[in-house]
């Protein structure tokens, strides 16, 4: 199964170079029990902020922890099938996305569809009252973390004003030109700062994670510092609004599952392997020691401003099961229902509907290209991404099924538009030059569509074959055609017919030399 792979080989090259530089030695890292920890934190990690559980309202703890365990008990968490270095991999963590209605979050070539938390103006029918309460608890936590993140950032700004006598645009981003705090423009700038920070802390999705380490057959060892087992490897969080804060609520508890065999745990110099930690390091830096920050049940930590851009973080496994609720400002310029419905409307403007025979309004190459690009986007970035995860979201709510039906209807009409275009191309009254122009812009998009359909309908990855059918992300992940499948899963050969028609036209127009002529 392949998607639009965007794996950055340059990152792997950097990683291999880093490992070669350190060879067999381990880089130093500090924990709070080290004398230099606080000094290093302030000097090199000033945008990491820990809010201890004792400083979080008890009401928040009670509702959130109950909500997380409810979602686990209803089997709402699932491992994601993602692409890492071009390979299909099941995430060690089981996950669930909750957030603003109609929002999605894309990571590692997989699009997750947020189960809506209760929102004004949206009717959300949950599969049970308990799940509805759990989603409300996550929303309440989201609002609490937003308020706290704003306070922390504004405190940072105030400290900078007192120390330096000028106002920043945001925490430690590019400074506004130096101004005296007595200047009459101070309050306007302070207002602008607040508006910017509000945008960067208005979390629109929460990615919930769950892992039970004793049940995991294998976890990777942290490679650079010798920090022990990793639940999540070193990374930057993807697809976030630039310089936005990431806020995380951590919850591990003794009564969540069977105790690990404490006698078998390895002694890891530096950190306590029984506790969960978040690890941080400056990206691609081997001179600065890393940090391992222990996470006790109910602790919250904030990665402020550009910390996610300049640093990498990992999650180091403890001995007990753990939940986390990670709140993000997802970059959703192309990741909401409003966006994709708008794209469909653009494509539909080129279709003249008729009960007997519909037709295309414009055959200009620009309109053709735009429509076929939208066609591919709807199918491979939305419909297939959603149905690949099967009826997973139905465990919480059927909210997404209505919008998906609307998208599928738009997709059917775009399929019809492609066929109408091919009929037009084959008309004898078309000049060779006009056919040439249309085919040049059409063929690459049809070839991409054909290849992506082949890969999506390919054989199951081996890592899924050993799992029970109800456990895989997509219960229809078989090549056999069923009338119960969405229509695009029944396109075993129809697109081959469409593409063959275009190629035949090309060969007729330019026998033997069409590929060379069109530079394909």
């Amino acid at each position: 199964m392949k998607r639009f792979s965007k794996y950055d080989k340059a990152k792997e090259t950097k990683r291999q170079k880093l490992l070669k530089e350190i060879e067999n030695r381990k880089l130093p890292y500090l924990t709070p029990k080290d004398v230099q920890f606080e000094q290093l934190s302030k000097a090199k990690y000033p945008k990491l902020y820990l809010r201890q559980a004792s400083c979080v309202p008890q009401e928040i703890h009670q509702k959130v922890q109950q909500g997380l365990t409810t979602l686990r008990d209803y089997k709402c968490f699932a491992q994601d099938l993602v692409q890492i270095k071009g390979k299909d991999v099941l995430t060690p963590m089981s996950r669930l996305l909750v957030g603003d209605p109609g929002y999605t979050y894309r990571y590692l070539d997989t699009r997750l569809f947020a189960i809506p938390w209760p929102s004004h103006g949206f009717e959300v029918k949950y599969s049970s009252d308990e799940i509805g309460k759990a989603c409300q608890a996550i929303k309440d936590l989201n609002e609490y973390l937003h308020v706290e993140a704003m306070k922390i950032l504004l405190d940072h700004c105030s400290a900078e004003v007192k120390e330096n006598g000028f106002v920043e645009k945001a925490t430690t981003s590019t400074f506004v030109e130096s101004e005296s705090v007595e200047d009459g423009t101070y309050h306007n700038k302070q207002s602008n700062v607040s508006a910017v920070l509000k945008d960067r802390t208005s979390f629109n999705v929460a990615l919930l994670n769950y892992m039970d380490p004793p049940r995991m057959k294998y976890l990777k060892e942290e490679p650079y510092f010798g920090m022990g087992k990793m639940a999540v490897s070193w990374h930057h969080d993807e697809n976030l609004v630039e310089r936005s804060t990431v806020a995380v609520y951590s919850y591990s508890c003794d009564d969540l599952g069977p105790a690990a065999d404490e006698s078998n745990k390895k002694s890891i110099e530096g950190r306590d392997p029984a506790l969960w930690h978040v690890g941080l390091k400056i990206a691609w830096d081997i001179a600065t020691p890393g940090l391992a920050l222990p996470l006790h049940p109910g602790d919250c930590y904030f990665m402020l401003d550009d910390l996610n851009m300049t640093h990498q973080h990992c999650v180091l496994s403890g001995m007990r099961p753990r939940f986390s609720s990670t709140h993000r400002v997802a970059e959703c310029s192309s990741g909401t229902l409003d966006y994709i419905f708008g794209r469909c409307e653009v494509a539909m403007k080129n279709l003249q509907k008729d009960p007997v025979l519909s037709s295309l309004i414009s055959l200009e190459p620009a309109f053709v290209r735009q429509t076929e690009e939208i066609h591919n986007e709807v199918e491979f970035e939305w419909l297939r991404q959603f149905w690949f995860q099967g009826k997973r979201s139905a465990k919480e709510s059927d909210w997404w099924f209505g919008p998906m039906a609307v998208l599928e209807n738009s997709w059917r009409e775009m399929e019809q538009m492609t066929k109408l275009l091919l009929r037009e191309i084959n008309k004898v009254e078309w000049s060779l030059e006009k056919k040439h122009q249309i085919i040049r812009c059409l063929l690459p998009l049809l070839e991409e569509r054909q290849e992506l359909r082949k890969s999506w309908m390919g054989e199951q990855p081996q890592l899924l074959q050993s799992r029970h059918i109800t456990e895989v992300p997509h219960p229809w992940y078989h090549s056999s055609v069923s009338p119960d499948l969405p229509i695009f899963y029944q396109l075993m050969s129809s697109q081959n017919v469409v593409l063959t028609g275009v190629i035949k036209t090309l060969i007729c127009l330019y026998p033997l030399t069409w590929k060379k002529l069109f530079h394909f």
Side-chain angles (χ1 to χ4, degrees):
M1 186 274 299
K2 301 287 184 184
R3 295 174 283 269
F4 291 113
S5 180
K6 299 178 181 178
Y7 171 64
D8 187 358
K9 293 183 179 179
K11 292 181 181 178
E12 179 62 17
T13 301
K14 287 182 178 181
R15 178 178 176 275
Q16 293 299 329
K17 182 179 179 181
L18 190 62
L19 289 171
K20 186 176 180 180
E21 286 184 24
I22 65 177
E23 296 180 332
N24 294 325
R25 65 191 175 93
K26 294 298 182 184
L27 300 174
Y29 74 96
L30 301 180
T31 69
K33 66 184 180 183
D34 294 303
V35 176
Q36 306 95 332
F37 179 85
E38 186 173 352
Q39 180 181 356
L40 179 67
S41 297
K42 291 180 178 179
K44 299 296 183 179
Y45 301 89
K47 298 174 187 177
L48 174 67
Y49 185 90
L50 176 68
R51 174 65 52 84
Q52 294 182 336
S54 58
C55 299
V56 178
Q58 188 59 37
E59 184 181 6
I60 293 288
H61 287 310
Q62 183 178 354
K63 289 184 177 180
V64 171
Q65 293 173 12
Q66 183 177 350
L68 291 171
T69 53
T70 294
L71 293 171
R72 183 205 59 179
D73 293 344
Y74 275 85
K75 302 186 184 304
C76 297
F77 290 91
Q79 291 174 278
D80 294 326
L81 184 62
V82 299
Q83 288 195 338
I84 299 177
K85 304 177 187 177
K87 297 180 180 179
D88 293 319
V89 178
L90 279 172
T91 57
M93 290 277 193
S94 295
R95 295 190 160 117
L96 173 67
L97 188 70
V98 182
D100 287 344
Y103 274 62
T104 69
Y105 179 62
R106 202 178 192 283
Y107 82 109
L108 298 176
D109 291 325
T110 292
R111 185 181 298 280
L112 299 182
F113 297 78
I115 302 304
W117 46 39
S119 301
H120 180 70
F122 291 88
E123 182 179 352
V124 183
K125 183 180 179 180
Y126 298 102
S127 55
S128 75
D129 290 341
E130 289 80 4
I131 288 177
K133 291 177 182 178
C135 291
Q136 181 64 60
I138 300 302
K139 183 181 182 181
D140 292 343
L141 174 62
N142 192 71
E143 293 173 353
Y144 168 78
L145 293 174
H146 161 66
V147 171
E148 294 306 303
M150 279 289 292
K151 290 178 182 177
I152 295 165
L153 288 168
L154 288 172
D155 285 348
H156 277 238
C157 287
S158 296
E160 289 290 342
V161 169
K162 291 177 181 178
E163 181 178 350
N164 301 317
F166 54 78
V167 182
E168 298 174 283
K169 287 184 180 177
T171 317
T172 50
S173 60
T174 306
F175 291 151
V176 175
E177 288 185 9
S178 296
E179 302 274 358
S180 168
V181 291
E182 284 82 18
D183 194 314
T185 63
Y186 168 77
H187 293 293
N188 289 335
K189 291 185 176 180
Q190 187 72 0
S191 177
N192 291 338
V193 168
S194 297
V196 170
L197 296 183
K198 182 177 180 180
D199 289 342
R200 295 179 183 175
T201 57
S202 294
F203 309 118
N204 47 31
V205 294
L207 184 60
L208 312 183
N209 303 284
Y210 175 71
M211 179 189 276
D212 186 353
R215 298 182 186 276
M216 299 301 299
K217 293 181 179 179
Y218 172 75
L219 290 175
K220 287 184 179 180
E221 292 285 337
E222 193 284 311
Y224 307 117
F225 302 91
M227 292 178 173
K229 300 289 185 182
M230 295 188 298
V232 182
S233 300
W234 291 106
H235 68 287
H236 305 277
D237 286 339
E238 296 182 50
N239 292 331
L240 305 181
V241 168
E242 188 175 1
R243 304 183 88 97
S244 62
T245 292
V246 177
V248 182
Y249 180 91
S250 181
Y251 172 45
S252 54
C253 187
D254 289 349
D255 61 4
L256 285 178
D261 185 354
E262 300 289 329
S263 63
N264 290 333
K265 71 182 183 183
K266 293 182 180 179
S267 176
I268 302 174
E269 183 179 354
R271 81 170 183 98
D272 181 353
L275 296 179
W276 286 79
H277 290 67
V278 58
L280 282 99
K281 68 182 180 71
I282 299 177
W284 317 117
D285 178 353
I286 63 173
T288 304
L291 288 187
L293 187 67
L295 300 172
H296 298 91
D299 282 351
C300 301
Y301 64 90
F302 299 81
M303 294 187 289
L304 305 170
D305 195 46
D306 63 351
L307 181 70
N308 183 57
M309 301 162 62
T310 59
H311 293 61
Q312 292 174 306
H313 61 281
C314 69
V315 181
L316 303 164
S317 176
M319 294 293 180
R320 297 287 181 174
R322 172 187 178 258
F323 295 99
S324 67
S325 184
T326 64
H327 298 249
R328 306 154 188 249
V329 188
E331 202 294 298
C332 283
S333 59
S334 61
T336 65
L337 278 177
D338 286 345
Y339 160 79
I340 198 62
F341 283 160
R343 294 278 282 167
C344 290
E345 288 178 9
V346 170
M348 293 302 106
K349 288 179 180 179
N350 200 36
L351 178 63
Q352 181 66 52
K353 296 183 181 181
D354 185 276
V356 180
L357 181 63
S358 297
S359 61
L360 298 178
I361 295 173
S362 173
L363 297 172
E364 290 299 315
F367 287 99
V368 169
R369 181 182 298 107
Q370 182 182 57
T371 299
E372 297 305 325
E373 286 175 348
I374 296 171
H375 188 165
N376 283 357
E377 184 177 12
V378 169
E379 179 172 340
F380 300 109
E381 280 296 315
W382 288 83
L383 292 174
R384 288 189 184 272
Q385 287 274 1
F386 181 79
W387 288 113
F388 172 73
Q389 297 169 50
K391 296 182 178 179
R392 167 176 164 179
S393 66
K395 291 182 179 180
E396 302 85 37
S397 171
D398 62 0
W399 190 87
W400 276 99
F401 289 87
M404 287 297 121
V406 175
L407 278 182
E408 188 172 321
N409 286 334
S410 295
W411 173 88
R412 289 170 187 262
E413 292 186 325
M414 284 183 273
E415 280 282 294
Q416 183 64 24
M417 292 170 77
T418 302
K419 294 173 184 177
L420 289 172
L421 178 62
L422 293 175
R423 288 177 192 154
E424 289 293 326
I425 292 175
N426 283 312
K427 289 182 178 179
V428 294
E429 59 265 28
W430 272 48
S431 68
L432 289 180
E433 182 181 358
K434 189 174 182 181
K435 290 184 177 185
H436 182 176
Q437 290 177 343
I438 295 294
I439 290 171
R440 279 185 65 89
C441 73
L442 177 63
L443 185 60
L445 292 163
L446 289 185
E447 286 184 321
E448 177 185 55
R449 190 175 305 158
Q450 182 190 39
E451 290 304 311
L452 286 169
R453 282 179 177 172
K454 281 182 180 179
S455 63
W456 276 94
M457 293 300 295
E459 295 182 0
Q460 297 184 56
Q462 280 190 340
L463 57 90
L464 289 183
Q465 290 178 357
S466 62
R467 297 168 62 83
H468 192 272
I469 190 66
T470 59
E471 295 177 346
V472 302
H474 170 44
W476 297 327
Y477 198 84
H478 292 283
S479 58
S480 59
V481 178
S482 165
D484 296 330
L485 302 187
I487 186 172
F488 49 82
Y489 276 98
Q490 303 179 42
L491 293 175
M492 298 303 295
S493 60
S494 64
Q495 190 61 35
N496 290 340
V497 173
V498 172
L499 185 58
T500 299
V502 178
I503 293 176
K504 282 183 178 179
T505 302
L506 278 171
I507 293 174
C508 291
L509 290 172
Y510 304 97
L512 303 179
T513 59
W514 65 272
K515 282 193 175 182
K516 181 178 179 181
L517 180 62
F518 291 126
H519 307 291
F520 294 137

